[in-house]
Amino acid sequence: MRKKFIAGNWKMNTSRAEGIALAAAIAAKVGSSASVDVAVCPPSLYLEAIGQAIKGSAVGLGAQSCYHEAKGAFTGEISPQMLVDLGCKYVILGHSERRQIFRETNQDVNRKVLAALAAGLVPIMCVGETLAERQANQTSQVVRGQMEGSLAGLSPDQVLKTVIAYEPVWAIGTGVVATPEQAEEVHADLRKLLETRYTSEVASKIRIQYGGSVNAENAATLLGQPNIDGALVGGASLKADSFLAIISATAS
Ligand code: PEP
């Protein structure tokens, strides 16, 4: 059985005080143990403060990106080691906004995944097709290519320490959620590729989250699909009530 994993990607949102209040409200409800893994990924500048707000709870801390070098002359960047130093367990890598706005390639994401794993972080590695790619029947080819490129050179053990997030670009922040059938089809396809490329153990144990307009209303049906092991949540993770409702939906 794969333990469900709900992570909130706050993106470039909240003030410091708002972030602390949000994290504290989530931590208070989740408590010190949970049957599901939960993480919040605030803006990097607030990681330390949010880490304090969730201390003692079962809520994990995650970052939204990192650089692939440990230290040096890389103005503006943050290393995986620095994230570990602040108490991070997870780091989101290859989010479509990083791929599209900041032009990160599969090779960039691959370097970051390897560096994050070397530092002891759990990468949440995102893949997803655009609307044009889906309409051109290229979804499988695109997400398989992103996953293979972004995980290149990883051993089966390293892949097992990674979480995959399938996030169709057309569903992110749009309110247009993939149907459970659309999402399940891609998750099953990715799992098949993991079995071919690695081992059946990797394929059966790795967690694949769905992301893209997940909310309190649609979470239960998505999370009820056999190959959907959790959610990476953007907008709905910015309100404690909706994020907590998505966490609760893992039980239904
Ligand atoms: C995301 O950006 O990872 C995301 C899934 O956003 P939203 O839930 O707002 O679509």
Side-chain angles (χ1 to χ4, degrees):
M1 267 303 275
R2 297 180 293 268
K3 194 174 184 185
K4 294 264 197 290
F5 177 26
I6 308 294
N9 174 12
W10 295 5
K11 311 192 186 187
M12 200 171 70
N13 290 300
T14 80
S15 66
R16 185 174 182 277
E18 287 164 351
I20 291 170
L22 174 59
I26 294 165
K29 275 278 175 352
V30 169
S32 59
S33 73
S35 55
V36 49
D37 283 338
V38 178
V40 290
C41 305
S44 304
L45 217 49
Y46 302 151
L47 281 168
E48 191 153 25
I50 303 301
Q52 285 302 315
I54 59 175
K55 204 171 172 178
S57 79
V59 180
L61 190 63
Q64 300 172 16
S65 184
C66 69
Y67 196 54
H68 67 268
E69 295 282 357
K71 61 177 180 171
F74 305 104
T75 302
E77 292 296 335
I78 299 171
S79 74
Q81 287 76 5
M82 291 169 180
L83 298 178
V84 171
D85 198 15
L86 289 186
C88 283
K89 181 169 178 194
Y90 306 99
V91 59
I92 300 170
L93 295 173
H95 190 279
S96 70
E97 286 148 21
R98 301 293 319 172
R99 291 179 186 268
Q100 292 198 324
I101 304 169
F102 300 99
R103 300 269 166 239
E104 286 187 13
T105 63
N106 286 331
Q107 194 186 16
D108 295 326
V109 179
N110 182 228
R111 285 199 197 106
K112 292 177 179 210
V113 167
L114 287 164
L117 286 166
L121 291 167
V122 175
I124 301 174
M125 200 285 289
C126 308
V127 298
E129 83 288 0
T130 62
L131 185 57
E133 288 163 343
R134 173 162 282 269
Q135 287 170 339
N137 284 325
Q138 292 169 346
T139 298
S140 176
Q141 180 194 329
V142 168
V143 297
R144 280 175 165 242
Q146 288 174 333
M147 192 167 78
E148 288 200 279
S150 303
L151 300 185
L154 268 71
S155 67
D157 268 3
Q158 287 176 308
V159 179
L160 269 175
K161 290 180 182 136
T162 303
V163 173
I164 308 292
Y166 167 56
E167 299 208 305
V169 178
W170 47 271
I172 297 180
T174 59
V176 182
V177 66
T179 64
E181 295 75 24
Q182 284 173 322
E184 170 62 21
E185 185 183 14
V186 177
H187 284 230
D189 186 44
L190 290 174
R191 213 177 284 289
K192 207 178 299 161
L193 177 63
L194 288 162
E195 179 158 19
T196 315
R197 280 279 177 275
Y198 302 97
T199 61
S200 50
E201 190 199 4
V202 168
S204 66
K205 286 191 176 164
I206 196 167
R207 293 185 292 186
I208 308 178
Q209 297 176 314
Y210 167 78
S213 296
V214 176
N215 59 33
E217 286 73 45
N218 61 32
T221 31
L222 284 160
L223 293 166
Q225 300 301 306
N227 285 291
I228 299 184
D229 309 313
L232 182 54
V233 186
S237 72
L238 293 170
K239 294 259 180 302
D241 284 356
S242 47
F243 190 58
L244 289 164
I246 293 168
I247 296 169
S248 300
T250 57
S252 54

